Every structure is written in structure tokens, then in C-alpha cells.
Amino acid sequence: MAGRALKPVGAPTRGTTNPNRLRRVDRWLASDPAVTRLLRGADEPLVVDLGYGASPVTTVEMARWLRTVRRDVRVLGLELDAERVSVAQSAVDRPWLDFRRGGFELAGTRPVVVRAFNVLRQYDEAEVTGAWSLMLDAMAPDGLLVEGTCDEIGRLSTWVAVGHDGPRALTLSVHLASLERPSTVAERLPKILIHRNVPGERVHELLSILDICWATAAPHQNFGVRARWAHTVHLLTARGWPVLNRPSRWRLGELTVPWSSVAPD
């Protein structure tokens, strides 16, 4: 995982982390067709976990998930804080899992996939696309950036899949058993959307209609909360909203829509 020495770019994060906090995006990474195709087709299947925080636990967990896709995948955790990198050395398993200092420049590596979670929340919305560009410029030509955020225990999670051609899709993933209404996830939207949850913006319309569909689907709660969510998404599609993932993913509390359907005006 050698790369040219570059000065780390970015600002330190709070570093908050918990075991299984990123399980929802881990599960998606290990099953999404675009991601699995990249990993299986890469000559050097390197994945970077940017800003893993005060503990390396979520990077270790991601590596385990990705090895179900390809056994020789290599995972590199990057942090700006040298002390956090030092703490993470106890989890190193070279060449398959390593940790070093780095930021948006990706420490001179050229990964096919980058996960950047809870990294951009502290930035201004105007800085997001610049950060995306810095990471994508360092990635493989067909690489995929997965940038998002979640709550402290991973029950509410959202992310944007971004390629060199721009953002492609938004995924919402929620813990259904504790969900009061879908719009609760608004507080964990990616930075580029979190201030757009206002009337007149597409993401606000999506969440508002999801709430209506969720309420309409209440009788399906008798068959379980998964059935209620699946029917909620079915009602959403009936209203003309494009949904990209399959019903099997809906039952996991996931919903993926094209970026064009929620892009800020």
C-alpha cells in the first residue's frame, strides 16, 4: 500500500466511533453491484477508510465485510491525528489491513473505493464538492467514493455514491424497529443535503412523501415492520419516485434513489 508522501489535507474530526456504528454501509458495500464489480475486477483491490476516528474498530469491521467479496482486498485506514494512527497499530495485519496519516489526498494511494463517513459534517456545504474532487482525483479512474453520515449507534445512516462523473445516488438506511417516521433520518443527511431539507427542495419532498407513505402503510405493521417499510417504498414508487434498489434491500430498511431526484436546486 505504498504511496508517495503527501501532506495530509483536511481538518480533524471529533473521532467518535462505536462497534457496528457503520454496519449499515458495510453491508451495502459488500453487496452493492457497482462496488463488488469494482473489487472483483481490480488488479489491486485497495479500499480506503478515511477518518475512522479514535478507534480502528469500524475499519476492522469493514475489512471483514469486504473479504466476503474478495479475500485479498486490502484496507487502509487514514486519519489526520497521529495519535489515532498510533492507537490503530494494534489492529494492523499487513498487507491486508494497515493504518497511516492521511486526509483528502488519500496519502498518495490509488484506491478503487473510498469510504468517508462522518468526515464532512464539520465543513461548510460549499466545501463538499471540493473535498469530493480531491479524493476522486487521487482514486482509480473508475473508483467510487461513498460519503455519508450516521448517528452515534448506527440506527440512522445516509450516504452518497460519487464517481468521477459526479454524484450518482443517495441511500437512506434506517433501523426499522426503532423508526418513528422516515423523515427522522433528515438529521443525518450528508452535508451537501442536510441544509436542503426545506420546502421547495427535492430531498424535503422525498422525506415528506415517505412520511405520508409510512403512515398509509401502517396496517402492514401487522405483518412486521419490514413489511410496512417495503410497502412504504412500494407506495413511493407508485407516486412516480424512481427507486434503484431491490425489494430485498427495502426489507433491510434501505432506500436508494438516483441523485438527480434529490439534487439541490
Side-chain angles (χ1 to χ4, degrees):
M1 283 185 261
R4 58 193 188 281
L6 297 174
K7 182 179 179 180
V9 177
T13 63
R14 289 172 53 202
T16 306
T17 189
N18 286 297
N20 288 319
R21 185 184 185 190
L22 302 184
R23 182 175 61 86
R24 294 186 172 278
V25 68
D26 283 341
R27 182 177 60 192
W28 180 86
L29 286 167
S31 60
D32 179 75
V35 176
T36 56
R37 184 168 56 249
L38 273 174
L39 292 177
R40 289 170 178 151
D43 292 334
E44 296 188 16
L46 173 63
V47 177
V48 162
D49 187 23
L50 181 64
Y52 55 83
S55 163
V57 62
T58 52
T59 307
V60 172
E61 290 169 347
M62 181 175 74
R64 290 173 183 159
W65 278 90
L66 295 183
R67 286 189 190 119
T68 67
V69 179
R70 183 168 171 173
R71 292 298 303 172
D72 63 343
V73 68
R74 294 179 299 140
V75 175
L76 174 64
L78 294 180
E79 258 292 345
L80 291 171
D81 189 319
E83 184 175 345
R84 294 176 186 174
V85 176
S86 179
V87 168
Q89 296 309 299
S90 62
V92 165
D93 180 21
R94 296 187 180 93
W96 315 118
L97 178 63
D98 205 353
F99 300 86
R100 72 171 73 156
R101 287 196 69 211
F104 296 137
E105 83 301 331
L106 305 184
T109 62
R110 202 158 181 78
V112 292
V113 177
V114 172
R115 181 180 75 178
F117 247 67
N118 302 306
V119 171
L120 293 177
R121 286 183 63 83
Q122 63 194 359
Y123 289 79
D124 291 334
E125 181 184 339
E127 298 176 285
V128 171
T129 56
W132 285 356
S133 293
L134 280 172
M135 289 183 276
L136 288 163
D137 286 348
M139 294 176 66
D142 57 350
L144 187 71
L145 166 64
V146 181
E147 189 269 305
T149 188
C150 66
D151 66 354
E152 285 72 12
I153 57 175
R155 290 189 170 188
L156 300 172
S157 188
T158 72
W159 56 87
V160 183
V162 190
H164 286 272
D165 55 348
R168 298 174 181 173
L170 170 71
T171 296
L172 312 178
S173 183
V174 297
H175 181 253
L176 293 173
S178 59
L179 186 68
E180 293 185 9
R181 60 183 186 279
S183 63
T184 305
V185 81
E187 66 194 54
R188 299 296 171 174
L189 285 170
K191 187 66 178 190
I192 199 164
L193 289 176
I194 196 165
H195 300 302
R196 302 288 182 156
N197 186 36
V198 294
E201 293 282 356
R202 294 186 184 98
V203 71
H204 180 271
E205 182 182 3
L206 170 63
L207 295 178
S208 297
I209 293 176
L210 265 177
D211 278 354
I212 293 171
C213 294
W214 178 251
T216 303
H220 287 259
Q221 186 81 22
N222 293 330
F223 304 102
V225 69
R226 291 186 175 189
R228 181 179 179 181
W229 178 259
H231 191 66
T232 297
V233 181
H234 174 74
L235 292 173
L236 183 73
T237 63
R239 287 172 171 260
W241 279 83
V243 174
L244 299 178
N245 55 350
R246 305 180 301 278
S248 60
R249 306 304 299 180
W250 304 351
R251 293 181 60 81
L252 297 175
E254 286 184 16
L255 169 65
T256 299
V257 297
W259 179 253
S260 58
S261 67
V262 294
D265 291 327

